[in-house]
């Protein structure tokens, strides 16, 4: 987003920031593509959803490297709701974007064809008030008509890419996992998780980074809002009920509490078919990725290596730390017990 020209920023504001334009573009794309929503419902798609900084991006990129999946990429921006129309207009065909490290500063290099979390504007445009609160994101239970419309959206993305399997990384999907399991019964739902201490520290680091960035760049804050990316930064809105008013997002304990709330809820409510994926096991045990690749029916070879995150500094153990470690052990046991 830092390389956008003033004209490109204006286009993003119009297409993503004005719901009427987004709805019109979606309707035009559906008429143009005439997607087979019924076929899309039965595809062997993959949905990756977890708390930010759980390894969702690198896992998605490793799956995408198989060549078996269609995904939204930066080439589809800002017409993410109308990929066929944008393609027909040549909007993304001649675009070039030098590869660069993404804004998170975590060493991941992105380019114009990198798969990214870009589908959430669909839910914001068509049902935003149902789950986007002023201080939190609520569990989301879209009705049957909207689920059918979403299947049409998936079908349109497949049509644009000429594929049959859809791959989506969308952390907000943890709000609606039951819908995904019901709407796409043949799909795999992957829920990555990471050791709580390292995970909380990474979230705190990103929150500080993006608070500073948003203070200096109003467009970047608006951009993250259009994508409903409120997981950290100046417009942070947690998935779980907000912590007490005394809680400080600039403190690690706040993020540890969020980790416990999110994964404590997911382990008890995620559909039984959801597959929890331990990031430390992906990094430390080649058999973990080989087994997951086999379950997804893709080759295990190729793609970026999973990188072991640095160990967090040792801190005094608190009751919350102990509870988080116990929950992590439960998650890891469930992940390791998943059938191949």
């Amino acid at each position: 987003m830092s390389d956008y020209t003033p004209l490109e920023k204006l286009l993003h504001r119009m297409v993503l920031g004005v719901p009427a334009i987004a709805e019109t573009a979606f309707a035009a794309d559906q008429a143009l593509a005439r997607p087979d929503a019924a076929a899309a419902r039965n595809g062997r798609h993959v949905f990756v959803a977890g708390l930010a900084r759980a390894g969702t991006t690198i896992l998605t990129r490793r799956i995408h490297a198989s060549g078996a999946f269609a995904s939204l990429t930066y080439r589809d921006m800002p017409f993410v709701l109308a990929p066929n129309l944008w393609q027909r207009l040549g909007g993304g065909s001649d675009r070039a974007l030098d590869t660069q490290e993404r804004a998170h500063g975590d060493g991941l290099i992105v380019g114009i064809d990198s798969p990214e979390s870009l589908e959430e504007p669909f839910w914001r445009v068509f049902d935003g008030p149902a789950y986007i609160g002023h201080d939190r994101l609520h569990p989301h239970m879209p009705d049957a008509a909207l689920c059918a419309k979403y299947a049409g959206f998936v079908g349109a993305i497949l049509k644009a890419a000429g594929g049959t399997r859809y791959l989506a990384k969308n952390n907000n999907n943890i709000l609606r996992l039951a819908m995904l399991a019901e709407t796409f019964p043949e799909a795999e739902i992957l829920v990555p998780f990471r050791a709580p201490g390292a995970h909380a520290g990474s979230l705190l680091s990103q929150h500080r980074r993006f608070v500073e960035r948003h203070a200096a760049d109003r467009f970047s804050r608006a951009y993250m809002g259009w994508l409903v990316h409120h997981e950290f930064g100046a417009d942070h809105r947690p998935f779980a009920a907000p912590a007490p008013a005394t809680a400080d997002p600039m403190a690690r304990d706040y993020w540890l509490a969020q980790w416990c709330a999110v994964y404590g809820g997911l382990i008890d409510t995620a559909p039984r078919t959801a597959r929890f994926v331990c990031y430390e096991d992906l990094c430390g045990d080649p058999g973990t990725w080989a087994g997951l690749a086999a379950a997804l029916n893709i080759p295990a070879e190729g793609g970026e290596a999973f990188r072991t995150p640095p160990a967090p500094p040792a801190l005094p153990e608190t009751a919350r730390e102990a509870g988080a470690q116990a929950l992590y052990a439960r998650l890891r046991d469930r992940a390791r017990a998943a059938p191949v």
Side-chain angles (χ1 to χ4, degrees):
M1 74 184 78
S2 60
D3 289 339
Y4 288 154
T5 66
L7 184 58
E8 288 173 327
K9 289 181 179 180
L10 176 61
L11 185 62
H12 279 68
R13 288 188 183 278
M14 292 174 58
V15 177
L16 292 175
V18 181
I21 294 178
E23 290 180 28
T24 300
F26 175 82
D29 193 71
Q30 291 287 299
L32 175 66
R34 301 178 64 85
D36 188 340
R41 283 179 178 266
N42 293 317
R44 291 202 61 197
H45 312 311
V46 175
F47 297 94
V48 180
L51 196 58
R53 312 303 298 163
T56 53
T57 297
I58 188 66
L59 177 59
T60 300
R61 287 157 65 113
R62 189 73 181 264
I63 296 169
H64 190 261
S66 70
F69 295 90
S71 295
L72 289 170
T73 71
Y74 289 106
R75 192 176 295 278
D76 297 303
M77 287 290 278
F79 283 89
V80 289
L81 296 189
N84 296 274
L85 178 63
W86 190 226
Q87 189 179 89
R88 182 72 64 87
L89 294 174
S93 61
D94 60 351
R95 296 175 66 191
L97 177 66
D98 292 337
T99 56
Q100 57 186 272
E101 185 179 17
R102 65 178 185 162
H104 301 67
D106 55 7
L108 286 180
I109 305 300
V110 297
I112 195 71
D113 292 311
S114 297
E116 193 43 87
S117 179
L118 301 174
E119 68 160 28
E120 189 64 21
F122 172 89
W123 299 110
R124 175 181 59 79
V125 167
F126 292 109
D127 209 26
Y131 74 101
I132 303 173
H134 74 280
D135 63 351
R136 74 188 80 179
L137 299 184
H138 301 274
H140 187 204
M141 295 170 283
D143 61 26
L146 188 53
C147 290
K149 182 177 285 190
Y150 177 65
F153 177 48
V154 170
I157 296 170
L158 295 174
K159 194 85 174 274
T164 59
R165 300 181 73 184
Y166 177 54
L167 170 64
K169 185 202 84 169
N170 183 356
N171 292 331
N172 286 346
N173 272 337
I174 65 173
L175 300 168
R176 55 181 84 93
L177 292 183
M179 178 281 295
L180 291 177
E182 183 175 345
T183 305
F184 304 98
E186 301 301 319
E188 285 277 1
I189 298 172
L190 306 182
V191 184
F193 63 95
R194 183 176 168 190
H199 201 161
S202 182
L203 285 165
L204 172 59
S205 175
Q206 290 300 318
H207 181 65
R208 289 173 172 166
R209 181 184 186 90
F210 276 87
V211 165
E212 182 176 334
R213 182 185 182 92
H214 292 163
D217 182 1
R218 293 172 59 189
F219 178 78
S220 71
R221 174 172 175 164
Y223 182 96
M224 289 178 70
W226 296 326
L227 299 180
V228 200
H229 187 5
H230 296 296
E231 291 157 304
F232 39 71
D235 196 16
H236 169 55
R237 308 181 201 186
F239 288 120
T246 54
D248 180 9
M250 291 296 182
R252 178 180 171 278
D253 189 65
Y254 171 90
W255 298 98
L256 190 63
Q258 292 301 317
W259 189 95
C260 292
V262 168
Y263 285 107
L266 287 173
I267 198 170
D268 292 330
T269 64
R272 62 176 182 81
T273 54
R275 188 183 296 264
F276 285 80
V277 181
C278 177
Y279 187 68
E280 284 75 21
D281 284 351
L282 283 175
C283 294
D285 177 13
T288 298
W289 167 245
L292 180 57
L296 301 181
N297 195 29
I298 60 174
E301 299 76 20
E304 301 165 80
F306 296 106
R307 298 175 298 176
T308 303
L315 295 172
E317 184 169 288
T318 64
R320 196 187 313 278
E321 293 273 2
Q325 288 299 331
L327 175 55
Y328 177 69
R330 288 180 60 204
L331 289 163
R332 207 169 193 180
D333 286 346
R334 176 162 171 175
R336 291 175 172 178
V340 174

